[in-house]
Amino acid sequence: MTNHLTRGAALAVATALLSAPLVTASAAAPKLKWGACPDSAGAPRGVYCAKLLVPLDYSKPTGRQITLTLSTNGSLSSPHLMLVNPGGPGASGIGTEKLVSAALPQAVAEQYSVFSFDPRGVGASTPVDCGDLTKLSPHPALPYKPANAKQEQQRVALATKVAAQCGAKSKWLLPYITTENAARDMDRIRIALGKQKIDYLGYSYGTKLGATYATMFPQHAGRFILDSVVDPLVSTYQSGFEQNVALEKRTQQMFAWVAANDKTYHLGKTGRAVAAAWERLRARLAAKHVGGRVGAPELDDMLASSMYTEDSWPTLLEAVTDYLKGNPEGLLTAADQLALGVDPAQLAYNCNDKGWPRTWSRWHRDTVRSDRLAPHYAWLNTWYSAPCAFWPVGPAKAGRIGSSKVPPILLLQGRYDGPTPLVGAQRMQLVLPGSRLLVDAGGNHASYLFSDNPCTDVPAAKYWLTGKLPNNGNCPASRPAA
């Protein structure tokens, strides 16, 4: 999974500033040349790109430079500039600005030009290269939950190889792939765009990036909306275990939804019955793979992926019921879509965080404990992040998010969001004095602008236009699954 699977601590307010923004304030504004985006970026029609050089190491601002690729479908002549990050960490931003600008209310779109970028280490910017990791992850895969010590050691060996391959290809770059450096890059983008302040929309990991920027550069932070909020008070390792429990709860909600639609799916009339049917399906796929590509781990991947939005539930259940009727095409298609494997940039950002145990016995012990509460996700999530136990660099030095100097920010959160649990938004509000939190009653992840929920969309539009924050509040869920 992606951060969406990022990784409790006491609810103390973290007021310490992040490490000082090294040398960025004095940077001269470079001239951006806008043109066609790189073919590799896959940019939609009407999106233009520009290159920006930034220091690899901000403590050596005139040393080696790396490339950022920026994108927009707007104009610098608009009164406001909105920078967007879609999350990940490591998700490409190119093209995101077109989706966002098309979804903004007309009055907001008339006031804002929307920009995005591939953060350092990602895609069309100087990328992390780990070689071809798909060769290290054949399908059908090993079971996520090991049946014995041999299976566990096979997975450990795989994680070790992934880390070593990233080190062999990108060790020069890996120490500098950090959220703090990405925030410094954002300030270079602000300077290049000629703005005293930037407004910002961040989803999922993008909330961590935005809160980091606002802490490091509060004088340049304008109107910020953070949707599906990452926990600022625990390590990525710890937050993974928070996430396991939230994902498990969301899965049980999906099973209850399937039961309520038993006339369509015929998997059981109660959530418990559907859960039992799901385990029988897993056992069947474990015993006999589909097309040599889909076993129980691939079904686990599909389930995890469906936890981001209810809109994906009908597609998953249709594929499952078709398979049970003798047609495996839906499962094969879903497996192919998820077969890209580990994202090198996401690993680089996550593994540079503090808090990753370097002894496998600790990972084993914590995962066994988590498995009792979240049997669908504990081992899956652990194996996704396991290369961090053997990462060839780091951890990077980082400060905490939060300062009394940060301007007020609007936080949006689903109560049952699995990838970024509610506790993260509650803790983010604690460390960002003056911020406001709107919680909707659903569980869709990163849904602002794309869920047609007036309870969040209308106050957000008013904030973009006036800077006036709503009161804290609770909202109904966005539209239910089809």
Side-chain angles (χ1 to χ4, degrees):
M1 296 181 73
T2 54
N3 174 130
H4 41 308
L5 285 185
T6 53
R7 306 302 163 226
L11 286 174
V13 177
T15 57
L17 286 171
L18 288 166
S19 52
L22 305 176
V23 210
T24 51
S26 62
K31 185 175 178 60
L32 295 174
K33 296 180 180 180
W34 295 95
C37 295
D39 291 341
S40 61
R45 185 185 299 272
V47 171
Y48 299 91
C49 289
K51 300 288 188 180
L52 176 65
L53 293 178
V54 297
L56 170 68
D57 180 353
Y58 273 94
S59 70
K60 302 174 182 177
T62 60
R64 185 171 184 173
Q65 306 289 295
I66 59 174
T67 299
L68 298 181
T69 297
L70 287 56
S71 60
T72 189
N73 67 334
S75 165
L76 284 176
S77 63
S78 298
H80 296 280
L81 179 160
M82 183 191 301
L83 195 63
V84 178
N85 181 274
S92 172
I94 294 175
T96 304
E97 71 292 318
K98 187 170 184 178
L99 291 172
V100 167
S101 59
L104 287 169
Q106 183 176 350
V108 179
E110 290 172 352
Q111 295 294 311
Y112 281 83
S113 293
V114 186
F115 291 75
S116 191
F117 66 109
D118 278 2
R120 60 171 57 209
V122 177
S125 296
T126 301
V128 173
D129 180 8
C130 289
D132 186 359
L133 294 179
T134 60
K135 293 181 179 179
L136 298 180
S137 303
H139 291 275
L142 290 165
Y144 283 121
K145 184 174 181 177
N148 49 51
K150 180 180 178 181
Q151 282 189 355
E152 184 170 348
Q153 286 307 309
Q154 286 176 309
R155 282 278 189 179
V156 169
L158 174 60
T160 305
K161 289 178 182 177
V162 169
Q165 196 161 301
C166 292
K169 294 280 187 177
S170 294
K171 196 168 185 178
W172 67 274
L173 178 60
L174 293 182
Y176 307 102
I177 303 300
T178 68
T179 300
E180 289 71 28
N181 278 336
R184 294 182 178 106
D185 292 343
M186 281 176 55
D187 206 55
R188 288 296 180 100
I189 292 172
R190 177 193 63 78
I191 293 168
L193 293 173
K195 296 293 185 179
Q196 180 62 27
K197 291 189 176 184
I198 56 171
D199 299 332
Y200 176 85
L201 171 60
Y203 295 97
S204 195
Y205 164 80
T207 66
K208 180 179 179 178
L209 177 58
T212 299
Y213 179 88
T215 303
M216 295 174 71
F217 302 96
Q219 71 276 27
H220 297 306
R223 298 164 192 172
F224 275 43
I225 292 182
L226 308 182
D227 178 24
S228 302
V229 184
V230 171
D231 192 330
L233 294 183
V234 301
S235 68
T236 306
Y237 176 75
Q238 290 172 302
S239 68
F241 295 108
E242 290 179 355
Q243 187 183 63
N244 293 343
V245 176
L247 287 166
E248 194 68 43
K249 182 179 292 186
R250 190 64 173 149
T251 298
Q252 300 309 315
Q253 290 177 337
M254 190 192 82
F255 289 162
W257 174 84
V258 175
N261 291 274
D262 185 59
K263 290 183 179 179
T264 300
Y265 301 115
H266 309 292
L267 291 177
K269 295 183 179 180
T270 67
R272 181 174 293 184
V274 173
W278 194 268
E279 292 311 307
R280 291 194 296 272
L281 172 62
R282 288 188 74 260
R284 178 173 169 176
L285 289 171
K288 186 176 181 180
H289 303 144
V290 176
R293 305 204 303 275
V294 181
E298 287 73 22
L299 183 67
D300 295 340
D301 290 337
M302 295 174 204
L303 181 64
S305 179
S306 72
M307 291 299 102
Y308 289 87
T309 172
E310 294 175 357
D311 292 343
S312 66
W313 295 358
T315 302
L316 174 62
L317 269 297
E318 182 179 345
V320 165
T321 53
D322 283 353
Y323 164 71
L324 294 174
K325 294 174 184 176
N327 178 8
E329 289 306 314
L331 289 184
L332 291 169
T333 299
D336 289 342
Q337 292 172 342
L338 292 171
L340 297 177
V342 175
D343 183 329
Q346 184 171 83
L347 272 181
Y349 277 99
N350 284 343
C351 294
N352 271 346
D353 281 352
K354 291 181 178 179
W356 295 102
R358 294 290 180 151
T359 56
W360 188 253
S361 60
R362 167 77 183 279
W363 287 70
H364 175 92
R365 183 173 67 251
D366 290 345
T367 306
V368 168
R369 185 182 301 116
S370 181
D371 184 65
R372 300 186 189 113
L373 299 175
H376 289 97
Y377 299 103
W379 283 102
L380 181 155
N381 218 353
T382 283
W383 293 126
Y384 189 87
S385 297
C388 297
F390 312 102
W391 203 240
V393 301
K397 183 178 180 180
R400 292 179 176 178
I401 290 172
S403 163
S404 60
K405 296 180 181 180
V406 175
I409 283 174
L410 178 56
L411 308 174
L412 305 177
Q413 180 69 32
R415 183 170 299 279
Y416 301 107
D417 185 339
T420 50
L422 174 61
V423 66
Q426 293 169 331
R427 290 173 174 168
M428 187 68 82
Q429 188 177 27
L430 285 175
V431 304
L432 299 178
S435 60
R436 299 288 191 273
L437 173 61
L438 291 178
V439 178
D440 77 63
N444 287 341
H445 179 73
S447 62
Y448 167 59
L449 293 177
F450 307 107
S451 64
D452 190 24
N453 191 340
C455 186
T456 54
D457 292 356
V458 172
K462 184 176 181 179
Y463 174 58
W464 288 129
L465 292 171
T466 68
K468 182 176 174 57
L469 285 165
N471 294 325
N472 296 319
N474 297 310
C475 290
S478 58
R479 68 185 190 279

